[in-house]
Amino acid sequence: MRIAVTTPTGNVGRHVVAMLVRAGLRPVALLRDPARLPEAVRDHVVAVRVDLDDADAVAAATAGVDALFWVNPAGPDGDPVAHHARLGAHAARAVTENGIVRTVFQSSVGAELRHGVGEIDGLARTEELLDATGAPVLHLRCGYFFTNLLLQPLSDVVPVVLPVDRQMPWVAPRDIAEVAVHRLLAGWTGRRVQAVHGPEDLSWEQAAAVVARATGRPLRAERIPDEEMRGMLRGAGRGVAQVESIMGMSTGMRDGFVPEQPRDATTTTPTTLAAWAYAELRAGLDVDVRV
């Protein structure tokens, strides 16, 4: 079986590649710079240099592929929603032209709303484009990535626009990869949706407390007004479309949103935020943590 993996050095993709290698497969790794692949896996994959924003290149790179793990990578400055929709069209074309038997798409909780959730709207467009191919497709509706915390300072205050006590799914990227690989290897028919909710719903208040215990450094979440957050994003060099795409991912799911897929045995994954934080955030910190 030939399985192609996009973003094979990303938070989820690198785990997908490693798991497929351990399963005895030789995955096709699609990326701009093959030199970025870890040395440990370079001899166990077929590395193909490709820009996912090049439709012809994507179609050529996936010729002869049986299954596809597709992720829309972040794009350059501009309109993130349009970027996602464009990449989704490239994926759909590759699936159709190459007769790819099944595709796992890394989507997001909130894509079920289809409109009004910022950048996630672009993932919804990709879902629709892949659905239109008529080929078997599985949309993974993922919760909030633990790895997003790597973009935050490890001490002080995390500014958010959600109520700090509002709970939502948080998930480890490795767990997403495990679900994706299991489904790629097991197969399915038709269109499927599976949420990946992590082990439990957490509020920003709870998450900050977990990270503080893991790192031994103070951290708390503080809700700020929407316009203040927009100003912070603009100050960081974000354009108008980017600012609204980031804001919408929170504001669009702020008032009474409930994920379409409930938390149950099929959507709950094992890695806790505490376990991830101790493994990932404490690395390199000169701290003495006693709990």
Side-chain angles (χ1 to χ4, degrees):
M1 178 187 297
R2 284 173 59 84
I3 299 178
V5 180
T6 62
T7 65
T9 61
N11 287 319
V12 176
R14 63 189 177 91
H15 293 295
V16 171
V17 168
M19 290 174 188
L20 290 173
V21 167
R22 289 195 293 271
L25 278 70
R26 190 177 178 84
V28 180
L30 308 181
L31 71 171
R32 290 185 178 184
D33 182 9
R36 292 186 60 205
L37 285 168
E39 288 187 20
V41 301
R42 288 180 190 173
D43 292 338
H44 302 280
V45 306
V46 177
V48 179
R49 188 184 301 274
V50 62
D51 181 350
L52 297 186
D53 210 359
D54 182 335
D56 292 337
V58 171
T62 53
V65 163
D66 302 300
L68 173 65
F69 176 67
W70 184 268
V71 181
N72 288 343
D77 294 349
D79 185 342
V81 174
H83 169 77
H84 283 301
R86 186 169 63 254
L87 266 58
H90 300 342
R93 173 185 160 184
V95 167
T96 300
E97 290 188 4
N98 295 322
I100 296 175
V101 176
R102 53 183 176 269
T103 300
V104 171
F105 170 53
Q106 182 181 299
S107 188
S108 172
V109 166
E112 60 265 46
L113 295 176
R114 294 313 197 214
H115 298 283
V117 279
E119 189 167 345
I120 296 171
D121 289 358
L123 302 180
R125 299 290 83 71
T126 299
E127 286 194 13
E128 292 169 336
L129 289 161
L130 288 169
D131 289 347
T133 67
V137 59
L138 173 68
H139 304 302
L140 295 182
R141 300 255 178 88
C142 306
Y144 191 79
F145 283 26
F146 293 169
T147 46
N148 288 336
L149 291 169
L150 296 173
L151 305 176
Q152 302 287 345
L154 292 180
S155 62
D156 206 4
V157 177
V158 178
V160 296
V161 296
L162 290 173
V164 296
D165 60 351
R166 188 188 188 284
Q167 294 186 323
M168 62 183 183
W170 290 64
V171 64
R174 188 190 183 283
D175 287 358
I176 298 169
E178 187 173 78
V179 174
V181 168
H182 285 172
R183 299 308 296 265
L184 285 166
L185 297 178
W188 70 91
T189 58
R191 175 191 184 270
R192 301 286 182 92
V193 176
Q194 180 170 342
V196 192
H197 286 325
E200 62 181 333
D201 290 358
L202 295 169
S203 68
W204 269 104
E205 188 173 58
Q206 292 170 319
V210 169
V211 171
R213 286 195 297 272
T215 62
R217 298 183 177 185
L219 183 69
R220 64 183 177 84
E222 179 179 291
R223 186 177 183 180
I224 64 173
D226 292 359
E227 284 308 311
E228 184 176 342
M229 179 64 80
R230 285 187 172 93
M232 292 173 64
L233 293 170
R234 288 193 296 268
R238 306 280 188 175
V240 174
Q242 283 188 311
V243 168
E244 293 309 311
S245 72
I246 293 170
M247 290 294 298
M249 289 190 286
S250 292
T251 60
M253 293 189 287
R254 187 164 54 190
D255 300 322
F257 170 76
V258 176
E260 183 177 68
Q261 288 75 40
R263 177 176 291 283
D264 60 19
T266 68
T267 62
T268 298
T269 51
T271 305
T272 65
L273 177 59
W276 178 88
Y278 272 91
E280 300 293 334
L281 296 182
R282 286 187 68 189
L285 293 179
D286 183 19
V287 295
D288 178 16
V289 181
R290 296 182 174 89
V291 294

